[in-house]
Amino acid sequence: MQEADKIQLQSTTLRRGKQYDMQWEPMDLTTKSVCAARGAGAVLMVDAPLNPEQPMVEVYSGSGALIKRFWRGHAGVLAGMGWSSQEEIVCITEEGVVHVFSLFGEQAPGPQPSLLKGDCGRRVIACEVLGDGCVLLTNEFELVRWETVNNSLESLGGVEDLLAAVSYTHLTLPTKRIV
């Protein structure tokens, strides 16, 4: 046994053994959008740029074993994805509809909330899932925050408002959109 495989903890010597074999196949990650769960858990992957016709979300274990492929048949163009604090998969469409899935790709029961409330002109162009909610950036450069705990939706204002509120000692960010 190599010295690196032993760990001395006070008067006890622990041995580090191999837990499992890595199963990752070689793949080009420059063509994928990747989102890993906390604590070296599962990994989500989807082709990037997203294929609006047939997006395919793939769920892998931390060791690289494919757990599930899903999304075909769900309405909407996938705008982003992430993990909730309960280790659920959260997928958000460009229309602002939130789809929640289990680790095994089973859709959560109940209605899927629409974060843009049917506003046909607005679209999600970027989003970030943050534990118990998410933040969306719309095509009108508006930031919208949604919290799952109390199902509250709050506009954070435009990007210009956010940038105007943020200033640093040596750097002041522009307050007008640069075209």
Side-chain angles (χ1 to χ4, degrees), residues 10 43 55 61 66 79 93 110 116 130 135 139 141 149 159 161 165:
Q10 295 180 352
V43 177
S61 69
L66 179 65
T93 66
L116 299 182
L130 306 168
V135 176
N139 60 335
F141 298 101
V149 175
V159 173
D161 299 333

Side-chain angles (χ1 to χ4, degrees), residues 72-90:
R72 291 184 204 263
H74 290 281
V77 176
L78 188 62
M81 62 185 179
W83 293 94
S84 72
S85 58
Q86 291 82 28
E87 299 296 325
E88 296 170 314
I89 300 166
V90 179

Side-chain angles (χ1 to χ4, degrees), residues 153-172:
L153 190 64
E154 173 187 5
S155 174
L156 301 176
V159 173
E160 291 91 356
D161 299 333
L162 180 65
L163 292 176
V166 177
S167 64
Y168 299 97
T169 307
H170 301 291
L171 172 67
T172 302

Side-chain angles (χ1 to χ4, degrees), residues 4-179:
D5 293 336
K6 296 180 184 177
I7 300 171
Q8 189 67 34
L9 184 62
Q10 295 180 352
S11 62
T12 305
T13 301
L14 302 175
R15 294 183 187 169
R16 184 182 342 201
K18 190 173 188 176
Q19 299 297 317
Y20 48 80
D21 291 324
M22 292 303 233
Q23 300 174 27
W24 289 103
E25 297 291 328
M27 64 177 73
D28 184 6
L29 292 179
T30 62
T31 64
K32 304 248 184 219
S33 179
V34 179
C35 182
R38 293 180 285 176
V43 177
L44 296 176
M45 287 191 201
V46 68
D47 286 331
L50 301 176
N51 179 354
E53 302 300 320
Q54 296 292 327
M56 182 58 69
V57 176
E58 298 173 329
V59 184
Y60 291 89
S61 69
S63 66
L66 179 65
I67 296 173
K68 185 73 174 182
R69 283 189 179 106
F70 67 95
W71 186 262
R72 291 184 204 263
H74 290 281
V77 176
L78 188 62
M81 62 185 179
W83 293 94
S84 72
S85 58
Q86 291 82 28
E87 299 296 325
E88 296 170 314
I89 300 166
V90 179
C91 296
I92 302 168
T93 66
E94 284 185 349
E95 295 79 25
V97 177
V98 177
H99 297 274
V100 179
F101 299 91
S102 73
L103 175 67
F104 302 102
E106 299 160 349
Q107 192 158 10
Q112 304 299 315
S114 177
L115 304 182
L116 299 182
K117 303 293 183 192
D119 187 346
C120 297
R122 293 192 305 171
R123 295 273 183 243
V124 176
I125 59 173
C127 60
E128 187 68 34
V129 177
L130 306 168
D132 289 325
C134 61
V135 176
L136 312 175
L137 176 63
T138 70
N139 60 335
E140 297 174 352
F141 298 101
E142 177 187 12
L143 292 168
V144 178
R145 180 179 66 188
W146 176 66
E147 293 181 0
T148 58
V149 175
N150 54 8
N151 199 22
S152 67
L153 190 64
E154 173 187 5
S155 174
L156 301 176
V159 173
E160 291 91 356
D161 299 333
L162 180 65
L163 292 176
V166 177
S167 64
Y168 299 97
T169 307
H170 301 291
L171 172 67
T172 302
L173 298 173
T175 58
K176 297 293 179 190
R177 190 175 329 144
I178 300 172
V179 179

